[in-house]
Amino acid sequence: MFGRYKRLWSSPPQRPAYDAVIIGGGLHGLSTAYFLASRHGIRDVAVIEKRYMGFGGSGRNTAIVRANQRTPENLPLYKEALELWPVLTEELDFNLMFYNCGNLNLAHSEAALKAMRLQVASAQFHGIDIRMVGPKECKELVPILDISNRLRYPIFGGMFHPAGGILRHDAVVWGMARGASKLGVHIHQGTEVTGIGVQNGRVVHVDTDKGRIQTRRVLNAAGGYSADIAFRMLGMKLPISVLTIQAMVTQPLKPILHHVVSSGMYHCYANQTLKGEIATGAHMDPWPTYTTGTTARYIKHQAEALGELMPCLRGVKFMRSWSGLADMTPDMAPIMDGNEPVRGYYMDCGWGYFGFKSSCVTGKYMAQYMATEECPQILKPFALKRFEEHRLMGETAALVEYSPDN
Amino acid sequence: MSRLTNLPTLRIRPGTPISFRYGKKLCEGVEGDTIATALYASGTRIFSRSLKYHRPRGLYGLEGECSNTFMRVDGVPNVPAEKTFLRPGMRVVPQVGPGGLRWDVLAFMDKMSWAMPAGFYYRMFHRPAALWPRVIPFIRRAAGKGVLDADFELPGRCDEIYVNSDICVIGGGPSGMAAALAAAEKGFRVILLEARPWLGGSWDHRISLREDGTPLFESAAQLARQVEESPLVRVFRHTAVAGVYPERVVAAFQTGGPSDSFRERYVEVRSESLVVATGCTERPLLFEHNERPGVMQAGCAHRLAHTWGILPGRRVVFSVGDDLGLEGALDLAELGVEVPCVADVRWSGQDAGLLARMREKKIPFFKGWTASRSMGRKTVKGVELKSTNGVHGRRFPCDVLVASAGQTPVTGPLAVAGARLVHDDRTNFFLPGNLPPGMHAAGRMLGYMAPEAMELSGRLAGLGAVLDFGGRTMDVVEEMRETEARLGRPPEGCQFVMAPVKGKKTFVCFDEDTTVRNVNQAMEMGLDVPELIKRWTAAGTGPGQGGIPGHNLPLLVSHSRASPDEDPRPTTTRPPLVPVLMGTYGGRNHDMCKRTPVHALQEAAGGHMERVGVWMRARRFGTEDHVRKEVANVRSNVGLLDSSTLGKFRLHGPDALKVLQRVYVSDLSTLREGRVRYSAMCTEDACVLDDGVVVKRGEEDYYFTTSSARSGATAEWIHYHARYENWDYDLVNLTDAFGVINLAGPRAREVLEKMTREDVSGSAFPFSGYRELMVGGSIPVRAMRLGFVGELSYELHVPSSLMQSLWEMLEEAGRPLGIQNFGLEAQNILRLEKGHVILGSESEQRTTLHDLGLGFLWSRKKNDGRMVGLPALQRTEHQEGRLKLVGFKMTDPAHQVPRDGSIIADRKIWGHVCTARYSDALGHPIGFALVKEPFCVMGARLPIYEDGCQGRLIHGQVIPTPFYDAGGERMKK
Ligand SMILES: Cc1cc2nc3c(=O)[nH]c(=O)nc-3n(C[C@H](O)[C@H](O)[C@H](O)COP(=O)(O)OP(=O)(O)OC[C@H]3O[C@@H](n4cnc5c(N)ncnc54)[C@H](O)[C@@H]3O)c2cc1C
């Protein structure tokens, strides 16, 4: 039925030169490689990963996808991303397990309702399926919610975004890696990039612990490590703080939660995976620890929040918690840029805790950027120089509190 | 089945029956039974059906390492029956699919395994695209086994406790107890955590004799008595460790017994030094059908008899890998169980005494043999044994097969604490290669199996923990040296051996039905490190949390030599180490909200109290239309608003002014005593961070307010930006020490005049003035004349303890003048009419001082060149394309008020409505919006798109602010 167990991707020896080198075997790197090969015929590409595919955020996230963004710069990008998952599933011939269950965001104050209305109006204006809902409808969508006044922050209403949902993050990593590899992209696991060579303002090679690679194009898609790479290898200081973000799952249950539910006030979100686990996460640790360790505080907070919002979950057991690194910019929007100040050096980072849902579409546009050397219109607002000009993007309405120094 | 009643090691009280419900049946156990032991004793052999193949599953172990025995107990799903003690009236429901335990209608799935290789989901159901959404409901229904009711409420009280000690010992076995005693002997306080309800670890059920003739269980009891008698050791029984975090924070949870006030309680222990002595568990033996009901671990069979008085079967074949297994076989034989034979995968290394006893009892013994297959349909009927090289084989009928590959350490607490686990060839254990500072390991988990060695190893760790404190060390060091010398090396462990089979039905992970063949498939596909195999095959991701596969998977992978990992590498262990209820983690979930000094008064006055940040505040004092009355009363009479939530600070010292100049945009060197200055703070991007007023109370002594939400953050902000300056100043947070009353309205002065003898006339106490008054005879008040709501108003700051009195006196004095409460919503409308902004409401993260039209606050002349945000203020002043704050009114005849958050959109989005309200004073809706050029110019027509409007726009027009009393006569009067 399945034939032999063919390798998902091959491991050819590293060549001394590639047309393009991608640092990081996470989704952003893999997706860019895939689109370079599939859309631009650039197949002489190496993806260099220091550990294994999906070792970074791509293998640790909770795989929530949605397009209910706040600003006109972001909306089209995420909308396209949502539409791309089913297409990619067929194209890659790999079940990415897109479970289009819809997202319900809860509001616990007038102010939150106002913020949501802005998001809803903006998304609707861009033709995205989303609407405001009252507390009663919240309860209809998620019967286990407590909409009474017992809550310390009672539910005022929410926004429901039927177009969103979850995928299986590992499936996306493997599917992309397999797809890229089939088209001739080289995947090098267990290989670390140690330097980027620049001559006359242009990238000329990349050094790895397995040897030097001549190349004129390199993409920094190293997630939580990208700022470190930019600084160590090119002396570029990116306005990125690296924070730890945790997530956890409960033991599997029969279906009980049919949408992604999230609450900014309670700092938590939860959904039930196809395996039946309630997967849940929240905000980042308040300060950098430079580890992927978990904390006692966090899992407790999560239990308090979920147990209050959905009281029956107090009878469910957590079975695993983990964490990953979030590369956060001051405005919580990514940096996608290239050829500045070094020609041939591209970056796609600062994706923090929200870079899963966009990975397919940014890969598509970053590939276009790298292939044509022209920045696609849709990526222009994400250039690094916005920070120099004090033009922050408006993805988060409120002040960002995670670190006083940026 | 009759129970053994006369063993000294029993933990049950035969003759004290407890009845409970099991499915539809009424069952009985005895006091001390767990659900699983009671069921086993009454003949239950099939406890569940497996997830994927619906294979029958039985009692395999007693440590909750797989979901075989998970049941729904009193509504809680996934409760491990073997670790849950019986309570009268318990309702236990097995977790099974259609058809029930014995006749699962999906049992045919077991024959379909060829169609479900590892990771088959990834390669199925996705073509055509329309198929997958249809498959999802089936997949969801098939997944998971626990059932939870939507209206379930966890009964009982969940508690929490935070304790500390000098040393914390995890594990109350002989080594852990020895460690605790060693530390206590030296005068240190110890907390000892034990997962079982009793101390004793691996000894409490064993009757083997020590060299001095004491049986092990007796030895364990002696140690337990010493521990209990030591005043320095605090023991938490029935307390399972869930996580070990940096700085030796141990999170555990305790199960309450009948006499405890809690159902479960979260226990968090902090200590200076940590000893982990969690012992061993058994490594599952890999052979065909290694999980058929009737196959069980050696410790399980041994304990069933010695702890619970249950003989596991009539004819029991043993296929084991260590001496404990042999000991179990002998003990069971002693109790009358027929043991047709014992196979041991080891070729050598068995204890001579045990072998002699085996010969004495005439039990056939096969060295270098292993079970290769269990036989039977639903339960075990026999076993095929083979020599490990596959050459010889024999079959034996039996009703229980004890199968074990020997011991394997319980390293969870070490792993989650950050110890690197390294494979040790001699013991075949993963041993800690390095331990984080202040951590020690001891006992069986290090491979020490002999009773003396276990105690010595515990003692050594206890002394090591003592050493972490420094002081009194010489004797301790000396003693440690001696102990270490006596301890020697641990014995050889059982090597990894797999039965000579293909592994089609050899289960590595029971919860996920992952077989050896699945693991091989994953490796063929290039997923060659255990971490990836785990993900691809799901092995170890089930509710047993890797208890079964965790030990075998890395060994199997390394054994297959298909992995680049030359040495076996364990997969990452993640907390919680044991599943913990959310209810338990949540604990009491105490709500820490703040109430102002007049909370009760406002509530009594009909205040609709809401949580705003950490505070409770009154939104309005009646129904929603009451707000209009509140507004009108302020405009025409006088109102009272509780503003106690404002951040309030005293900043004083020789360098206080320098600090202010650093963070505020205004030049505060020109601030005179007796005056109030409104100002703002910006970020490095010139974005407005906070606003408030500053008062100079004397030389080098300032008092200032911040917005309610930022009182904590502002203190941090100030210290942060002064951190390199070595300035001499003091910042005192007075937020909770002072309450604030805003007395506002044209008749406010009349009220105040009634209450103080001092001159508060317009000339003596003008707008923007600051006075310290005695009000009501003896209440000291810091009064400011401000105009946030646009009327004559006084902001009265008063010591919190006196605030209620002052409030009551003001109400009393104002009653003839029509004084009334007003709430946040009325304030919101009043200030909107006045054109005053509320940060967060009219500003976003990216909104600069200039964007808000507050650029005039910025003083260019002041002489702190390092003022926060200075370069950005300069650079952004004339920047184009920014969202600017504008005031607007609605021009449509319908006077529809746009909802807050509506967008300004005309083919693309140009901005959004921040706040809009109907103004009674003006007779039309007004609002604030943040918009880009060309919509931010005076007179521009704003097309407003509301959520759900389906393209029907409403219109506003940009007009100047303030909307109300533009000249400010009313507030300055
Ligand atoms: C707990 C958690 C939950 C999340 N939930 C969501 C969610 O629900 N929705 C969502 O959209 N996003 C979510 N995210 C965010 C998302 O996972 C990330 O933004 C995304 O995976 C980033 O992908 P990436 O490819 O940029 O980086 P990564 O996946 O981190 O990949 C970077 C790779 O670079 C490799 N690398 C680093 N340095 C080098 C070097 N010198 N040489 C070679 N290789 C190197 C790393 O090993 C790593 O594999 C979550 C993140 C976490 C941690």
Side-chain angles (χ1 to χ4, degrees):
Chain A
M1 180 166 188
F2 296 98
R4 289 299 306 153
Y5 300 102
K6 276 199 248 119
R7 296 184 74 85
L8 286 173
W9 54 81
S10 53
S11 309
Q14 183 174 310
R15 277 194 214 131
Y18 287 96
D19 211 348
V21 170
I22 285 164
I23 312 175
L27 276 171
H28 284 263
L30 287 170
S31 158
T32 308
Y34 174 72
F35 282 102
L36 273 173
S38 67
R39 302 294 195 273
H40 303 279
I42 300 180
R43 299 179 173 201
D44 183 25
V45 177
V47 176
I48 312 285
E49 166 55 52
K50 71 173 173 184
R51 296 290 299 275
Y52 49 82
M53 291 295 103
F55 168 75
S58 300
R60 298 164 191 261
N61 64 76
T62 43
I64 295 171
V65 295
R66 56 184 178 85
N68 50 351
Q69 301 294 313
R70 192 168 181 272
T71 59
E73 293 83 9
N74 279 284
L75 282 158
L77 199 65
Y78 288 86
K79 181 180 183 218
E80 189 176 342
L82 267 190
E83 292 159 357
L84 210 52
W85 296 117
V87 177
L88 276 176
T89 299
E90 287 214 38
E91 203 178 300
L92 296 170
D93 188 14
F94 203 76
N95 194 346
L96 307 181
M97 300 194 200
F98 181 24
Y99 170 30
N100 173 210
C101 58
N103 313 48
L104 174 68
N105 290 62
L106 300 171
H108 305 268
S109 67
E110 265 322 312
L113 278 180
K114 161 183 157 180
M116 274 179 195
R117 262 186 237 117
L118 169 55
Q119 256 171 293
V120 168
S122 306
Q124 284 179 348
F125 188 76
H126 278 89
I128 292 163
D129 190 6
I130 186 165
R131 64 176 193 273
M132 297 295 294
V133 290
K136 268 225 193 87
E137 202 182 337
C138 290
K139 176 92 181 165
E140 277 157 28
L141 288 165
V142 180
I144 62 176
L145 271 185
D146 184 351
I147 56 165
S148 75
N149 280 332
R150 269 196 312 190
L151 296 194
R152 82 181 58 166
Y153 298 109
I155 294 169
F156 279 48
M159 61 178 171
F160 183 56
H161 175 38
I166 53 173
L167 283 99
R168 170 110 178 97
H169 58 308
D170 287 337
V172 185
V173 172
W174 295 331
M176 286 280 193
R178 176 170 170 264
S181 171
K182 267 187 167 175
L183 294 172
V185 169
H186 279 193
I187 287 174
H188 300 298
Q189 299 190 99
T191 307
E192 184 171 352
V193 171
T194 52
I196 299 173
V198 177
Q199 256 170 33
N200 304 325
R202 195 169 213 318
V203 168
V204 288
H205 66 249
V206 167
D207 283 323
T208 76
D209 56 359
K210 306 263 164 76
R212 176 163 292 186
I213 300 171
Q214 305 296 332
T215 188
R216 291 169 71 78
R217 273 186 278 231
V218 58
L219 173 70
N220 179 357
Y225 311 86
S226 52
D228 174 57
I229 287 180
F231 184 68
R232 258 192 314 130
M233 303 181 192
L234 295 170
M236 272 175 92
K237 268 194 169 173
L238 299 183
I240 284 180
S241 312
V242 179
L243 295 170
T244 306
I245 178 161
Q246 307 183 34
M248 59 206 67
V249 293
T250 68
Q251 294 181 334
L253 297 173
K254 288 294 174 198
I256 188 161
L257 177 58
H258 313 300
H259 307 287
V260 180
V261 185
S262 55
S263 161
M265 187 65 103
Y266 279 92
H267 283 307
C268 72
Y269 61 82
N271 66 269
Q272 192 168 14
T273 65
L274 291 179
K275 284 186 77 181
E277 304 148 337
I278 310 281
T280 167
H283 53 172
M284 295 156 298
D285 291 357
W287 42 75
T289 58
Y290 307 104
T291 68
T292 49
T294 53
T295 57
R297 283 297 73 210
Y298 188 86
I299 192 163
K300 191 161 192 326
H301 160 270
Q302 210 64 13
E304 286 171 1
L306 291 179
E308 204 175 310
L309 281 172
M310 295 175 268
C312 70
L313 294 185
R314 287 162 46 80
V316 184
K317 292 170 182 171
F318 276 130
M319 71 171 183
R320 185 162 62 242
S321 65
W322 66 91
S323 82
L325 300 178
D327 38 338
M328 303 297 303
T329 62
D331 58 3
M332 294 200 175
I335 300 170
M336 290 184 275
D337 212 336
N339 298 324
E340 265 292 318
V342 178
R343 286 205 74 73
Y345 170 72
Y346 296 84
M347 54 195 158
D348 175 17
C349 52
W351 279 104
Y353 57 78
F354 38 80
F356 175 77
K357 52 183 164 292
S358 61
S359 55
C360 56
V361 73
T362 48
K364 174 178 158 191
Y365 287 110
M366 282 310 295
Q368 181 184 336
Y369 197 172
M370 291 177 72
T372 61
E373 301 195 6
E374 282 290 314
C375 183
Q377 197 60 34
I378 200 165
L379 297 189
K380 281 191 177 151
F382 300 93
L384 178 61
K385 73 170 186 297
R386 71 179 187 274
F387 298 108
E388 225 168 275
E389 295 176 352
H390 311 285
R391 287 183 197 271
L392 302 187
M393 304 227 347
E395 251 335 282
T396 46
L399 281 166
V400 176
E401 291 281 4
Y402 51 84
S403 153
D405 64 355
N406 53 36
Chain B
M1 189 195 280
S2 69
R3 307 279 283 254
L4 306 170
T5 52
N6 55 356
L7 301 176
T9 50
L10 289 186
R11 296 278 171 181
I12 49 165
R13 294 181 51 203
T16 50
I18 293 186
S19 56
F20 64 104
R21 246 178 210 292
Y22 178 60
K24 294 199 181 81
K25 278 190 311 199
L26 201 59
C27 283
E28 204 163 85
V30 297
E31 213 172 279
D33 255 333
T34 63
I35 297 171
T37 56
L39 287 175
Y40 198 90
S42 55
T44 305
R45 290 295 174 269
I46 302 176
F47 282 68
S48 68
R49 287 278 175 163
S50 75
L51 184 68
K52 201 158 122 190
Y53 300 140
H54 295 259
R55 290 168 64 92
R57 291 282 160 82
L59 184 66
Y60 182 79
L62 292 172
E63 310 296 334
E65 291 191 308
C66 58
S67 59
N68 283 11
T69 55
F70 279 16
M71 299 191 175
R72 190 175 179 212
V73 178
D74 293 334
V76 179
N78 296 329
V79 176
E82 75 274 39
K83 297 206 322 185
T84 306
F85 287 82
L86 269 192
R87 282 188 309 270
M90 242 175 187
R91 305 183 77 86
V92 180
V93 184
Q95 301 188 149
V96 279
L101 283 175
R102 289 204 69 80
W103 309 108
D104 190 316
V105 298
L106 296 175
F108 71 88
M109 294 294 274
D110 197 20
K111 302 258 177 336
M112 300 285 292
S113 57
W114 58 273
M116 293 184 271
F120 74 103
Y121 276 143
Y122 300 112
R123 298 184 290 156
M124 267 172 88
F125 309 130
H126 61 290
R127 287 184 130 175
L131 175 63
W132 177 241
R134 282 164 212 247
V135 175
I136 285 177
F138 295 96
I139 290 182
R140 289 195 76 202
R141 246 173 280 152
K145 290 199 282 182
V147 175
L148 182 72
D149 289 335
D151 55 1
F152 172 74
E153 288 203 26
L154 188 69
R157 195 172 119 100
C158 292
D159 208 341
E160 47 196 298
I161 177 175
Y162 299 81
V163 284
N164 63 48
S165 64
D166 299 327
I167 290 159
C168 174
V169 179
I170 303 178
S175 314
M177 291 194 282
L181 288 170
E185 236 172 63
K186 308 282 174 200
F188 290 87
R189 291 180 305 133
V190 181
I191 284 176
L192 177 65
L193 306 172
E194 166 55 48
R196 290 206 183 95
W198 55 78
L199 297 173
S202 62
W203 287 2
D204 81 280
H205 65 292
R206 288 168 62 192
I207 53 172
S208 313
L209 305 182
R210 302 184 66 156
E211 273 167 20
D212 67 359
T214 328
L216 287 176
F217 75 88
E218 193 45 58
S219 241
Q222 279 166 13
L223 278 170
R225 268 194 299 280
Q226 285 178 48
V227 163
E228 266 144 26
E229 280 160 13
S230 166
L232 288 173
V233 186
R234 180 171 180 188
V235 183
F236 285 86
R237 282 184 203 77
H238 220 173
T239 304
V241 169
V244 181
Y245 298 98
E247 303 301 314
R248 297 167 301 281
V249 172
V250 176
F253 74 97
Q254 185 170 23
T255 308
S259 60
D260 287 311
S261 62
F262 52 86
R263 172 199 178 94
E264 281 192 354
R265 86 175 161 184
Y266 176 77
V267 182
E268 200 173 290
V269 186
R270 276 160 205 271
S271 62
E272 292 297 319
S273 192
L274 193 59
V275 176
V276 179
T278 38
C280 285
T281 171
E282 276 166 65
R283 189 151 55 75
L285 190 65
L286 295 177
F287 57 96
E288 287 291 274
H289 305 285
N290 55 335
E291 37 60 275
R292 203 190 294 280
V295 178
M296 67 172 65
Q297 293 191 315
C300 177
H302 204 176
R303 263 188 197 279
L304 273 182
H306 279 185
T307 306
W308 278 285
I310 303 167
L311 293 179
R314 269 185 257 282
R315 272 173 73 85
V316 183
V317 171
F318 281 72
S319 172
V320 296
D322 69 344
D323 286 352
L324 267 178
L326 305 183
E327 186 183 315
L330 283 163
D331 282 353
L332 285 188
E334 204 83 49
L335 291 172
V337 171
E338 186 189 338
V339 179
C341 71
V342 173
D344 188 334
V345 294
R346 297 174 295 175
W347 284 101
S348 61
Q350 294 85 353
D351 178 83
L354 289 169
L355 292 185
R357 276 175 66 201
M358 202 96 75
R359 277 193 298 274
E360 218 172 90
K361 295 220 133 246
K362 302 210 168 52
I363 300 176
F365 182 62
F366 298 83
K367 266 188 209 173
W369 280 52
T370 172
S372 67
R373 185 150 70 99
S374 78
M375 290 168 306
R377 277 175 58 84
K378 292 201 168 78
T379 57
V380 168
K381 296 277 180 284
V383 55
E384 182 179 75
L385 298 179
K386 277 200 168 146
S387 57
T388 50
N389 55 17
V391 177
H392 308 286
R394 279 187 63 177
R395 292 180 176 198
F396 293 88
C398 62
D399 58 351
V400 165
L401 168 62
V402 168
S404 162
Q407 303 296 304
T408 186
V410 178
T411 48
L414 296 175
V416 295
R420 196 165 44 88
L421 296 171
V422 185
H423 186 256
D424 173 59
D425 287 339
R426 181 180 170 83
T427 49
N428 197 22
F429 279 15
F430 288 105
L431 295 177
N434 65 329
L435 282 169
M439 269 187 93
H440 306 267
R444 283 208 308 159
M445 67 186 311
L446 296 181
Y448 296 108
M449 297 296 162
E452 283 66 32
M454 283 161 72
E455 279 183 334
L456 282 175
S457 161
R459 188 160 180 87
L460 188 63
L463 294 173
V466 164
L467 261 197
D468 289 341
F469 291 85
R472 286 193 290 170
T473 49
M474 266 336 283
D475 57 325
V476 178
V477 172
E478 195 46 47
E479 195 185 335
M480 281 179 75
R481 202 172 294 141
E482 275 164 32
T483 314
E484 205 159 0
R486 283 170 58 201
L487 187 56
R489 279 216 299 172
E492 266 184 45
C494 173
Q495 293 309 307
F496 179 82
V497 174
M498 214 194 109
V501 291
K502 289 231 172 65
K504 220 172 104 187
K505 294 283 159 148
T506 298
F507 287 87
V508 177
C509 175
F510 300 170
D511 293 356
E512 300 288 338
D513 276 342
T514 310
T515 59
V516 167
R517 169 181 269 193
N518 293 148
V519 172
N520 290 333
Q521 287 162 348
M523 288 193 278
E524 276 176 42
M525 298 192 72
L527 301 150
D528 45 11
V529 292
E531 205 64 56
L532 286 178
I533 295 168
K534 175 173 157 183
R535 291 173 192 209
W536 182 256
T537 64
T541 63
Q545 310 200 173
I548 297 292
H551 318 291
N552 272 326
L553 186 63
L555 298 177
L556 178 64
V557 170
S558 137
H559 186 73
S560 75
R561 286 176 225 276
S563 168
D565 287 355
E566 278 157 20
D567 293 323
R569 228 202 276 188
T571 56
T572 316
T573 310
R574 303 184 187 281
L577 295 168
V578 275
V580 185
L581 281 175
M582 260 193 230
T584 306
Y585 266 124
R588 267 170 300 178
N589 193 7
H590 181 60
D591 183 7
M592 307 260 274
C593 80
K594 296 215 276 187
R595 293 169 174 209
T596 73
V598 291
H599 180 89
L601 287 181
Q602 293 185 84
E603 213 167 27
H608 190 94
M609 308 305 284
E610 267 175 23
R611 203 92 185 212
V612 183
V614 292
W615 292 96
M616 293 300 292
R617 303 193 70 178
R619 171 134 326 255
R620 51 189 149 80
F621 289 84
T623 55
E624 268 177 49
D625 355 311
H626 190 265
V627 173
R628 296 176 66 173
K629 291 193 195 137
E630 292 171 30
V631 171
N633 194 53
V634 175
R635 289 273 178 253
S636 57
N637 268 321
V638 55
L640 275 175
L641 174 77
D642 175 15
S643 304
S644 305
T645 60
L646 285 174
K648 296 173 281 289
F649 292 87
R650 179 187 182 199
L651 179 70
H652 64 115
D655 294 319
L657 180 61
K658 289 188 189 146
V659 175
L660 292 174
Q661 298 286 63
R662 173 64 44 95
V663 294
Y664 278 104
V665 294
S666 319
D667 183 1
L668 292 164
S669 66
T670 59
L671 178 61
R672 284 179 288 124
E673 279 180 46
R675 300 294 294 169
V676 177
R677 180 77 61 84
Y678 171 71
S679 188
M681 301 184 201
C682 287
T683 66
E684 289 88 339
D685 285 310
C687 299
V688 193
L689 185 72
D690 200 359
D691 65 346
V693 295
V694 188
V695 165
K696 183 172 182 183
R697 294 187 63 224
E699 264 326 298
E700 301 174 354
D701 193 0
Y702 295 86
Y703 179 68
F704 65 88
T705 64
T706 72
S707 50
S708 301
R710 282 201 60 87
S711 63
T714 291
E716 222 174 282
W717 182 259
I718 288 178
H719 290 309
Y720 183 79
H721 287 286
R723 68 194 184 285
Y724 296 128
E725 301 290 2
N726 228 347
W727 283 334
D728 186 2
Y729 70 95
D730 231 330
L731 184 66
V732 191
N733 191 338
L734 297 173
T735 302
D736 297 338
F738 278 92
V740 177
I741 302 170
N742 190 358
L743 180 68
R747 310 191 75 172
R749 185 175 293 128
E750 283 173 63
V751 179
L752 196 59
E753 273 168 346
K754 284 191 178 183
M755 302 200 34
T756 180
R757 269 185 240 134
E758 298 182 53
D759 182 2
V760 292
S761 66
S763 52
F765 189 4
F767 183 68
S768 282
Y770 172 78
R771 293 278 301 277
E772 301 198 352
L773 307 171
M774 273 299 176
V775 179
S778 58
I779 301 181
V781 169
R782 301 178 176 187
M784 306 174 191
R785 263 203 66 188
L786 300 169
F788 191 52
V789 298
E791 300 292 340
L792 166 67
S793 61
Y794 299 91
E795 203 172 281
L796 308 175
H797 293 228
V798 20
S800 294
S801 55
L802 299 173
M803 168 130 170
Q804 191 173 340
S805 311
L806 181 65
W807 183 277
E808 282 172 337
M809 288 157 89
L810 288 169
E811 277 192 322
E812 184 66 36
R815 193 160 298 135
L817 305 172
I819 198 166
Q820 264 171 33
N821 281 305
F822 66 105
L824 286 180
E825 181 52 23
Q827 173 185 248
N828 192 23
I829 297 174
L830 290 161
R831 65 91 199 181
L832 175 66
E833 288 175 338
K834 186 60 198 163
H836 285 151
V837 301
I838 294 182
L839 294 186
S841 196
E842 272 70 54
S843 65
E844 303 180 77
Q845 183 208 2
R846 56 177 160 170
T847 309
T848 65
L849 195 70
H850 303 301
D851 295 341
L852 276 185
L854 295 177
F856 64 89
L857 293 175
W858 169 39
S859 157
R860 290 147 216 258
K861 291 196 297 271
K862 92 176 181 192
N863 60 7
D864 186 352
R866 297 186 52 202
M867 180 189 100
V868 184
L870 180 61
L873 279 167
Q874 288 161 343
R875 265 184 248 147
T876 57
E877 189 169 11
H878 302 294
Q879 230 173 27
E880 285 171 2
R882 300 194 67 102
L883 289 165
K884 297 278 177 188
L885 188 70
V886 297
F888 68 89
K889 67 171 185 187
M890 294 308 288
T891 50
D892 298 330
H895 272 181
Q896 186 182 333
V897 188
R899 290 192 286 267
D900 296 354
S902 300
I903 55 173
I904 317 289
D906 168 30
R907 263 166 302 170
K908 60 181 236 196
I909 298 175
W910 296 95
H912 64 268
V913 173
C914 304
T915 310
R917 291 291 183 275
Y918 187 81
S919 164
D920 278 332
L922 301 166
H924 56 76
I926 50 168
F928 272 133
L930 279 167
V931 274
K932 281 189 189 163
E933 284 155 46
F935 288 87
C936 59
V937 298
M938 211 45 70
R941 190 169 135 91
L942 301 179
I944 299 174
Y945 179 107
E946 291 187 309
D947 68 279
C949 73
Q950 292 178 332
R952 270 194 313 277
L953 304 184
I954 52 178
H955 293 90
Q957 186 183 22
V958 177
I959 59 169
T961 58
F963 305 105
Y964 173 80
D965 183 28
E969 285 85 18
R970 296 182 67 91
M971 75 182 178
K972 292 183 186 154
K973 172 173 88 169

